[in-house]
Amino acid sequence: MDSTPGFGQTNPSFGSTNPTSGQPNRRLAAVMFLDMVGYSAMMAGDEERALACVGELEKLLRAEVPKFGGRVVKFLGDGSMAEFPTALAAVRCSQSILLDVESNNAWVPVEKRYSVRIGLHLGELVDRADDIFSNAVNVAARIQPLADPGGIAMSSFIYSQIENQLDLKGTYLPPQKLKNIPEKMRIFLVHPVGGDVAGRAIRRHKPFATKVAIGAAVLLLAVVLAYYFGGHR
């Protein structure tokens, strides 16, 4: 009988150390970093509410992540890190979390609501004492702040795995230079649930869009001048 857990089931061995060799597992997995938006300001203005929101979020993550075969690796104050066996599981779980946050917000006043940002990356992980380490973890952590409030930012490694399986509404950013990551990364932003999503990514990342627009204008001007002074008058 096949004992492999199906989608939505928890794999008890996922993220564990190889007991026969004593060596840490190396495996390909999806990493999710999640962070509460505006937590510091909330803490300064209403400490009790801020702590309550963190508690609500932790409870939500403990319930949702295992449903998609994932594991919450650790909580990081107002954020968390989790891992999933596939890119599809990570994205579906992220979508479910965002929908749950939106649903919870519908029952509280606007000034007491909170939102989260989620970053996803796919890469090889190494286990060390129930924690995970690797360049993939570092990349996922750097990607997460690029997400819009209530949205998801994912590397092209994740998006290429799920683009034909999920209908995601989003935008590719210009190649990004992430802190302490040598190569530039292609990042896909999934539009936040609800609200005014049109142009949000462009507005938030206006410096990048402006550089692209200026470069295009300079190139067009060069072509026109070359045509004019080349004797086509």
Side-chain angles (χ1 to χ4, degrees):
M1 185 171 119
D2 185 5
S3 60
T4 303
F7 180 77
Q9 297 177 320
T10 301
N11 184 345
S13 65
F14 181 67
S16 62
T17 301
N18 188 330
T20 57
S21 65
Q23 297 298 316
N25 285 331
R26 288 183 177 273
R27 66 191 184 283
L28 190 68
V31 183
M32 178 180 79
F33 269 86
L34 179 149
D35 188 63
M36 187 181 293
V37 178
Y39 174 75
S40 296
M42 185 189 298
M43 194 71 172
D46 189 344
E47 181 179 288
E48 184 178 352
R49 177 56 187 162
L51 293 175
C53 287
V54 170
E56 292 173 10
L57 185 57
E58 287 189 8
K59 183 179 179 180
L60 188 158
L61 292 171
R62 291 185 193 278
E64 288 299 309
V65 170
K67 290 180 183 179
F68 296 86
R71 177 176 76 99
V72 176
V73 179
K74 57 186 174 183
F75 291 100
L76 306 160
D78 61 315
S80 66
M81 177 172 66
E83 59 171 329
F84 297 85
T86 66
L88 183 61
V91 175
R92 282 182 166 166
C93 183
S94 299
Q95 292 176 311
S96 180
I97 290 169
L98 293 176
L99 287 173
D100 283 347
V101 170
E102 287 293 314
S103 297
N104 292 342
N105 281 339
W107 298 94
V108 298
V110 174
E111 66 274 9
K112 293 186 178 295
R113 295 176 183 177
Y114 71 91
S115 60
V116 298
R117 292 189 179 103
I118 296 177
L120 302 174
H121 183 52
L122 182 70
E124 187 179 75
L125 305 181
V126 177
D127 294 302
R128 294 288 182 188
D130 294 327
D131 205 344
I132 54 175
F133 300 87
S134 73
N135 186 59
V137 173
N138 298 334
V139 171
R142 300 303 184 191
I143 289 174
Q144 181 268 326
L146 297 176
D148 290 305
I152 306 169
M154 65 182 72
S155 68
S156 59
F157 295 89
I158 290 279
Y159 186 65
S160 64
Q161 295 294 312
I162 55 88
E163 61 179 321
N164 295 323
Q165 301 181 65
L166 297 175
D167 183 21
L168 298 179
K169 306 300 182 185
T171 308
Y172 255 122
L173 292 177
Q176 301 290 296
K177 179 64 177 73
L178 306 177
K179 184 178 180 180
N180 296 329
I181 305 300
E183 67 278 4
K184 288 188 175 182
M185 304 284 298
R186 296 190 69 209
I187 308 298
F188 185 83
L189 296 186
V190 180
H191 293 321
V193 177
D196 176 23
V197 300
R200 183 184 277 115
I202 293 177
R203 290 196 300 272
R204 183 164 183 262
H205 301 279
K206 188 177 179 181
F208 300 106
T210 301
K211 289 179 182 179
V212 173
I214 291 174
V218 171
L219 179 61
L220 179 60
L221 179 61
V223 170
V224 171
L225 291 175
Y227 181 85
Y228 181 81
F229 290 107
H232 300 84
R233 288 178 282 183

